[in-house]
Amino acid sequence: DTEVTQTPKHLVMGMTNKKSLKCEQHMGHRAMYWYKQKAKKPPELMFVYSYEKLSINESVPSRFSPECPNSSLLNLHLHALQPEDSALYLCASSQEIAGGPRETQYFGPGTRLLVL
Amino acid sequence: DQQVKQNSPSLSVQEGRISILNCDYTNSMFDYFLWYKKYPAEGPTFLISISSIKDKNEDGRFTVFLNKSAKHLSLHIVPSQPGDSAVYFCAASAHGSSNTGKLIFGQGTTLQVKP
């Protein structure tokens, strides 16, 4: 089973709203990732968690706040977003950050976010 | 600086024929390469990977070839099926470098398989 689930599937929010995206995996993976993807572009890495600790922050604006409550869950808290933040937000997981096959990332279906 | 390049934005192939998608890279530290397939409004699906110690890996209709001296990899799909129509991304990783924990993606190639 290589399933990563994400909720909600779609989200519309105003620029003053606070919302959260959720990601879950039950593969025992210890690395989890948030990506942002615009149409016809490759995924852009935002954050990496390894063993529940933030390992990489790709200079993401503070209006995006990640959280890893436990090894199976990853949240992305959103506050005061801009219309240009509208995109598909993808979560992924891998066994660990170890190089090679153990670092193969499995992606969830994504949350389609629209900021008005 | 684009470390992973897919120079063909699109490819059209007849059903039953071979599809060949190409990918070039510049960073000699890359040691693991992956191909993902993506349908619109869905997350990328992992297809196949290859380690830098190999030059070929096969999984059913999908074969990935790696030419390290040319810094080139390719994905062969034989026979191509209409359901293969999607965007294909190649990606690379380099353990033990500033890229550890990161997948570096190419820009993607849109494959259309015509019935």
Side-chain angles (χ1 to χ4, degrees):
Chain A
D1 181 17
T2 55
E3 189 179 25
V4 176
T5 59
Q6 290 186 243
T7 54
K9 291 188 78 169
H10 302 276
L11 179 62
V12 180
M13 60 186 290
M15 289 190 284
T16 58
N17 291 158
K18 284 186 180 180
K19 296 285 185 184
S20 296
L21 309 184
K22 296 186 185 303
C23 173
E24 191 166 3
Q25 57 87 14
H26 294 290
M27 296 178 278
H29 289 177
R30 302 313 298 268
M32 295 186 77
Y33 310 77
W34 279 115
Y35 288 85
K36 172 182 176 179
Q37 185 171 28
K38 294 273 198 178
K40 301 192 184 296
K41 297 287 188 184
E44 292 175 45
L45 183 65
M46 299 174 72
F47 302 104
V48 181
Y49 273 82
S50 176
Y51 288 84
E52 297 147 57
K53 292 193 187 319
L54 184 63
S55 175
I56 297 174
N57 176 343
E58 289 285 87
S59 303
V60 179
S62 60
R63 56 185 185 270
F64 296 92
S65 174
E67 178 197 17
C68 190
N70 60 55
S71 60
S72 300
L73 291 174
L74 187 65
N75 298 322
L76 186 63
H77 303 296
L78 314 173
H79 174 54
L81 293 195
Q82 304 296 310
E84 59 264 28
D85 296 322
S86 299
L88 182 68
Y89 286 84
L90 295 163
C91 174
S93 71
S94 67
Q95 287 181 305
E96 55 186 346
I97 300 172
R102 295 180 67 78
E103 206 167 307
T104 298
Q105 293 182 28
Y106 297 91
F107 286 82
T111 293
R112 174 71 59 189
L113 174 66
L114 177 62
V115 182
L116 299 176
Chain B
D1 175 33
Q2 225 180 321
Q3 299 185 68
V4 177
K5 298 179 187 178
Q6 294 176 254
N7 291 317
S8 297
S10 62
L11 174 67
S12 183
V13 169
Q14 207 65 35
E15 181 180 5
R17 307 294 290 267
I18 185 171
S19 295
I20 300 176
L21 296 100
N22 293 303
C23 181
D24 296 296
Y25 62 95
T26 57
N27 189 342
S28 56
M29 295 292 290
F30 287 144
D31 55 9
Y32 187 60
F33 303 88
L34 310 92
W35 284 95
Y36 287 87
K37 168 181 171 180
K38 187 178 183 306
Y39 294 118
E42 292 185 12
T45 301
F46 170 68
L47 271 179
I48 192 168
S49 61
I50 188 166
S51 167
S52 60
I53 62 173
K54 295 187 174 182
D55 54 20
K56 177 182 174 181
N57 188 25
E58 193 171 348
D59 183 2
R61 296 186 299 115
F62 302 93
T63 303
V64 56
F65 295 91
L66 176 63
N67 182 333
K68 281 204 308 183
S69 60
K71 294 191 177 69
H72 176 83
L73 66 154
S74 60
L75 174 68
H76 293 210
I77 306 173
V78 181
S80 302
Q81 300 173 353
D84 296 329
S85 298
V87 179
Y88 288 78
F89 290 100
C90 73
S93 68
H95 185 60
S97 74
S98 60
N99 286 324
T100 295
K102 301 181 186 181
L103 281 183
I104 310 300
F105 285 89
Q107 294 297 303
T109 296
T110 301
L111 172 66
Q112 183 185 25
V113 180
K114 296 180 179 177

